[in-house]
Amino acid sequence: MIYCVTLNPALDYIIELEEQLTSGHNNRIINKYIDVGGKGTHVSIALSLLGEENVCTGISGEKDYDLLSNKLNEFGVQAQFIKVADNSVRNNYIITSNTKQSSYLLTEMGITLSENLIDELFDSYLLEASHEDIIIIAGNPSNDTSIEVFKYFFEKAINTGSKIAIDLHGKYLELALNYSVYFAKPNQHEFSELVGEEIETLEDIKSSLLYMELKNIKHLCISLGKRGSVLVNKNEIYQFDGLQVNTKNDTGSGDAYFAGIIYSLVNGLDMIDAGKIATALGAAKAEEKISSGFNIKRFNNLKEKVKYRKV
Ligand code: TA6
């Protein structure tokens, strides 16, 4: 089973502007949408759209949970979260415009986790996780969740024996990489921070592979933003160019990409197929106005357009 864990889910309030957001201007709103927010939730939606069964779980505020759950149901995903009384699902705000520019993302803090909540999560929804399973931890806990509580969570996940796939950043990513992880997807800046030097070129990436060995990361992706991505495993590196598409909202593209890698790994596909699928999913998501999902026909069309090379 694949468990998609979101430690700080959200509702995304998407505001579509007539023009690119400009300070000092009257920025006219032409549309508004409410969608699922949070990274693990998006990975779960993408895997479900690809027909890959998974459990969408985590720890959520109780207020507005029904709205989050109903939005997930629209994609055929059943929400199975621990609900925390006297807390709300956080609201994130995304400002987009039909100008192919990247969106603006404004995120609320969310709920503070505790060891008791972590125990409740494992006892309720991760009890059966074992060495045959994958636990995806996508999205940080709220910033005011202590690193000790996150460590408590992460060690419980490791101790299930499941393969651990992470999309984390900052201190939480750093902590996670003290353990053996199955898949990690830092961006170029995060990877530079992790290896302690500026990673600019593919040569820099090649020379830093020792880091990956040392850190025992089985599969590594380094996202390079508009320049696409690099996929690395033991002794192979492939670079995949980004796709030029009619970007409506790039929020959630990284989550769709992540789901593409997981889908490929669980289906035994090689790195080339994995990179093409992930890149096409991220691009197809960017063509949607909301934060979740993608057009499956468009994804299949884009998949064959992905350019790549062995490094
Ligand atoms: O990756 C997209 C997204 O999940 C948005 O839906 C928005 O909710 C934001 O990222 C949440 O990111 P965070 O790292 O705060 O969990």
Side-chain angles (χ1 to χ4, degrees), residues 108-124:
E108 285 187 336
M109 174 74 81
I111 48 178
T112 307
L113 301 184
S114 65
E115 291 186 5
N116 288 342
L117 286 172
I118 303 295
D119 288 341
E120 209 182 321
L121 171 63
F122 277 86
D123 294 347
S124 306

Side-chain angles (χ1 to χ4, degrees), residues 11-14 32-36 67 71 74 290:
L11 284 163
D12 280 358
Y13 289 78
I14 299 143
K32 290 193 295 183
Y33 313 92
I34 302 178
D35 188 21
V36 173
L67 177 54
K71 288 285 173 191
E74 289 172 17
I290 58 174

Side-chain angles (χ1 to χ4, degrees), residues 8 10 12 36-39 42 90 92 94 105 107-108 139-140 169 251-252 255 291:
N8 195 11
D12 280 358
V36 173
K39 297 186 181 327
H42 284 158
R90 66 180 168 140
N92 290 342
I94 290 142
L105 176 56
T107 58
E108 285 187 336
N140 281 0
H169 48 270
T251 304
D255 309 330
S291 311

